[in-house]
């Protein structure tokens, strides 16, 4: 088989400044060993997130110029609405400035205190918005999804038996809707099968509970279904996506992911009452319903981006970048979470840095090592991000210590990934040299963004 090459060429470049190792040590100290506090320009390869960090195509840049900035009923809005209707076939379409704005308005209009909202795994903003409105956000992920070493095709699936038990326990009146996140971002970017979505929908339909899809990576999920699920080989990604949305009563999306845009989100729903309530809150918080916090040019770029994300060549290349890095790391025996996700590779920091106990944050030690050795910015998903305190105020470790290398879309080429693999290998070869850290300053919530660390050695 030949190399799967990037299905694009480059006509505009952005320089990468590579500072020296000594400078990086200095910068990291100034950032209190927290890579969130670094300047982006001091990072040679920035894999902090795949959200809003992608490169737009020539078609998208051209579409920007067609942006109609009329306040109400603009041409760009109609294009946005029609594109989303083509993909989802859902009746009411609302733009928002990000995914979390759609979540927040949904929670404000549909949640009452004491409600329960199941999901395969809630993303952190989804959980936070539901909880602020007084709901309990439940993760009903299949057991397969909880095992980082198990190689299974659809580790993002919801456990349908757990869903039935949840409805039994809490009762239909307490469950205003159920969500399913494709792909499962917090669970390693693992996909959900069509059979699972269909199965979840069947259970919900019996009880009259609506299904809302968190559709941030619907195109990556559609590709996984095409590759891994019986009966989908001959189908276009658009057809697969349309089938996913055919089971949904509503959907939220961050267009910073599979919208291939740098900003944007949407909410769609079939119910007229839901739509009316959402619209009124949208006007109050985001803007008139035909722009919802976005510029006309954003709506244009998003309309092009959504269809490009469903391009088969693009998805083939995108998934090849993940497999390429996974294969390189696995060959060296470097511990990674299996199988590769849709948008990221996850290093298993516990196995990578076994000499560092969980509460000395092996994930942060690894993140820091990757930055110092190669200027790579990654993110810890472990005891710092998910750490909690028990009633006695004693810090509890997270079950998994992962480091996520998220891939911005269409930004880095194969040589960047080769460089990345070399740096990771170098850190692996000297792993005993890296020490754990302690936290010297932290806020009460979402501490990973701003806390300060100090190395222990
Ligand atoms: C990014 C993301 C969101 C939130 O979207 P923002 O645009 O960052 O507000 C919600 N759910 C999932 C699964 C996400 O990945």
């Amino acid at each position: 088989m030949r190399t799967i090459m990037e299905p694009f060429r480059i006509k505009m470049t952005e320089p990468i400044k590579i500072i020296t190792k000594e400078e990086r040590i200095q910068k990291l100290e100034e950032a209190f060993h927290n890579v969130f506090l670094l300047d982006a320009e001091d990072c040679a390869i920035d894999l902090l997130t795949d959200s809003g960090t992608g490169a737009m195509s020539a078609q998208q840049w051209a579409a920007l110029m067609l942006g109609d900035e009329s306040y109400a009923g603009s041409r760009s809005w109609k294009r946005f609405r029609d594109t989303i209707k083509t993909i989802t076939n859902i009746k009411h379409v609302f733009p928002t400035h990000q995914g979390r704005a759609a979540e927040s308005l949904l929670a404000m209009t549909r949640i009452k205190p004491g409600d329960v909202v199941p999901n395969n795994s809630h993303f952190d903003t989804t959980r936070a918005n539901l909880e602020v409105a007084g709901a309990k956000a439940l993760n009903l992920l299949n057991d397969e999804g909880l095992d980082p070493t198990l190689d299974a095709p659809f580790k993002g699936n919801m456990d349908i038996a757990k869903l039935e038990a949840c409805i039994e326990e809490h009762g239909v009146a307490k469950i205003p809707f159920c969500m399913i996140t494709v792909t499962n971002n917090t669970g390693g970017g693992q996909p959900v099968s069509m059979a699972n979505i269909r199965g979840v929908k069947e259970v919900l339909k019996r009880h009259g509970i609506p299904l809302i899809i968190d559709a941030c990576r619907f195109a990556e999920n559609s590709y996984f279904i095409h590759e891994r699920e019986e009966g989908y080989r001959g189908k276009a990604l658009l057809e697969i996506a349309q089938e996913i949305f055919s089971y949904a009563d509503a959907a939220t999306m961050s267009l910073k992911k599979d919208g291939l845009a740098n900003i944007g989100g949407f909410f769609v729903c079939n119910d007229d009452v839901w739509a009316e309530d959402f619209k009124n809150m949208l006007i109050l918080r985001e803007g008139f319903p035909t722009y919802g916090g976005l510029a006309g040019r954003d709506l244009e770029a998003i309309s092009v981006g959504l269809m490009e994300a469903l391009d088969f060549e693009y998805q083939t290349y995108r998934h090849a970048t993940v497999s390429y890095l996974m294969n390189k790391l696995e060959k060296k025996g470097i511990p990674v979470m299996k199988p590769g996700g849709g948008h990221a590779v996850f290093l298993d920091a516990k196995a990578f840095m076994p000499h560092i106990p969980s509460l000395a944050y092996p994930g942060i030690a690894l993140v820091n090592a990757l930055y110092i050795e190669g200027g790579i910015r990654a993110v810890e998903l472990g005891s710092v991000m998910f750490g909690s305190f028990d009633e006695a105020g004693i810090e509890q470790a997270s079950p998994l210590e992962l480091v996520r290398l998220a891939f911005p879309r269409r930004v880095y080429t194969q040589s960047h990934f080769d460089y990345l693999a070399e740096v990771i290998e170098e850190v692996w070869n000297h792993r005993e040299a890296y020490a754990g850290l302690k936290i010297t300053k932290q806020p009460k919530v979402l501490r990973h963004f701003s806390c300060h660390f100090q190395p222990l050695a």
Side-chain angles (χ1 to χ4, degrees):
M1 207 179 102
R2 292 194 179 150
T3 301
I4 297 171
M5 61 180 195
E6 288 86 4
F8 50 81
R9 54 184 186 177
I10 297 164
K11 80 166 142 198
M12 193 186 68
T13 66
E14 196 177 4
I16 294 176
K17 186 181 75 174
I18 305 185
I19 59 176
T20 64
K21 183 170 170 176
E22 288 64 41
E23 287 173 306
R24 287 195 295 264
I25 290 171
Q26 175 76 28
K27 297 281 182 193
L28 197 58
E29 251 164 50
E30 287 165 14
F32 304 98
H33 302 271
N34 184 344
V35 295
F36 278 103
L37 305 178
L38 289 168
D39 286 343
E41 65 179 1
D42 294 327
C43 302
I45 302 209
D46 199 345
L47 306 181
L48 194 64
T49 175
D50 66 320
S51 179
T53 52
M56 293 209 297
S57 66
Q59 290 300 325
Q60 286 179 288
W61 283 105
L64 285 184
M65 292 304 294
L66 300 174
D68 175 355
E69 306 300 344
S70 306
Y71 193 92
S74 77
R75 201 175 49 237
S76 303
W77 146 248
K78 287 193 276 182
R79 187 167 180 201
F80 177 89
R81 177 198 62 197
D82 294 348
T83 305
I84 292 168
K85 278 201 174 187
T86 300
I87 297 169
T88 66
N89 194 31
I90 292 179
K91 189 172 170 190
H92 302 283
V93 177
F94 299 102
T96 58
H97 82 278
Q98 277 196 221
R100 73 194 67 182
E103 293 166 351
S104 149
L105 301 182
L106 171 69
M108 275 189 233
T109 51
R110 300 264 69 87
I111 295 291
K112 48 184 192 327
D115 280 352
V116 170
V117 178
N119 200 329
N120 48 349
S121 302
H122 288 276
F123 182 65
D124 52 11
T125 61
T126 321
R127 167 180 298 281
N129 275 301
L130 293 168
E131 287 178 349
V132 162
K136 202 160 138 189
L138 295 180
N139 288 347
L140 305 184
L141 188 65
N142 204 285
D143 287 343
E144 281 186 346
L146 300 169
D147 178 354
T149 57
L150 180 80
D151 200 338
F154 291 105
K155 287 172 73 176
N157 282 354
M158 181 178 277
D159 187 323
I160 293 180
K162 282 187 200 161
L163 175 63
E164 302 212 61
C166 164
I167 298 171
E168 177 83 12
E169 184 190 339
H170 299 283
V172 173
K174 282 227 173 307
I175 308 176
F177 51 83
C178 169
M179 298 185 78
I180 196 154
T181 305
V182 299
T183 57
N184 181 20
N185 185 4
T186 39
Q190 299 293 326
V192 181
S193 71
M194 195 71 89
N196 189 251
I197 299 172
R198 202 182 296 124
V200 166
K201 177 64 185 179
E202 271 165 25
V203 171
L204 296 175
K205 200 169 173 184
R206 247 190 288 128
H207 293 94
I209 300 171
L211 174 62
I212 302 186
I213 294 189
D214 179 338
C216 294
R217 297 177 183 80
F218 77 99
E220 287 172 8
N221 202 91
S222 299
Y223 181 85
F224 277 121
I225 289 174
H226 181 277
E227 296 299 294
R228 297 182 183 174
E229 193 163 352
E230 184 84 34
Y232 289 92
R233 272 278 160 168
K235 299 211 169 171
L237 298 185
L238 174 60
E239 270 179 279
I240 297 174
Q242 286 166 333
E243 185 180 340
I244 292 176
F245 287 109
S246 74
Y247 303 118
D249 300 280
T252 56
M253 179 166 175
S254 168
L255 292 159
K256 301 171 74 170
K257 285 57 174 265
D258 279 348
L260 294 178
N262 303 115
I263 199 73
F266 71 61
F267 176 70
V268 294
C269 67
N270 277 323
D271 188 283
D272 296 338
V273 175
W274 280 33
E276 186 62 25
D277 293 346
F278 191 93
K279 184 180 76 184
N280 292 330
M281 200 58 92
L282 184 74
I283 294 171
L284 185 67
R285 303 266 172 168
E286 291 279 287
F288 194 72
T290 66
Y291 72 86
L294 295 169
R297 56 180 169 271
D298 297 327
L299 299 172
E300 291 284 346
I302 289 163
S303 304
V304 177
L306 278 168
M307 297 313 286
E308 287 182 353
L310 288 165
D311 179 67
F312 192 75
E313 298 303 315
Y314 160 70
Q315 285 296 342
T316 305
Y317 138 78
R318 170 112 178 116
H319 289 257
T321 59
V322 172
S323 321
Y324 182 75
L325 183 63
M326 283 288 287
N327 288 341
K328 277 188 174 260
L329 299 180
E330 285 194 82
K331 267 195 206 129
K332 307 278 181 199
I334 296 171
V336 285
M337 182 164 170
K338 280 184 243 186
H343 65 288
V345 168
F346 293 75
L347 302 174
D348 181 349
K350 223 187 242 186
F352 201 115
M353 303 269 186
H355 58 290
I356 303 179
S358 286
L359 291 180
Y361 315 125
I364 298 292
L366 180 51
V367 165
N368 281 345
L370 293 172
Y371 179 71
I372 290 171
E373 294 310 324
I376 290 157
R377 178 153 68 168
V379 68
E380 185 247 24
L381 280 82
S383 287
V384 174
M385 187 180 281
F386 301 123
S388 56
F389 293 85
D390 68 9
E391 294 95 80
I394 301 188
E395 188 174 0
Q396 304 295 305
S398 156
L400 294 178
E401 302 291 343
L402 301 175
V403 166
R404 185 183 75 178
L405 306 161
F407 294 7
R409 293 170 179 77
R410 305 189 292 207
V411 169
Y412 295 115
T413 66
Q414 189 166 335
S415 69
H416 294 116
F417 289 108
D418 287 336
Y419 172 86
L420 181 61
E422 287 162 14
V423 173
I424 296 169
E425 192 188 347
E426 218 170 288
V427 173
W428 172 247
N429 290 339
H430 302 103
R431 56 194 180 279
E432 284 86 14
Y434 303 99
L437 300 98
K438 65 174 182 192
I439 294 180
T440 54
K441 184 173 170 227
Q442 60 182 310
K444 282 215 167 59
V445 288
L446 297 172
R447 63 175 179 172
H448 55 285
F449 288 123
S450 62
C451 67
H452 294 178
F453 299 100
Q454 195 183 317
L456 287 168

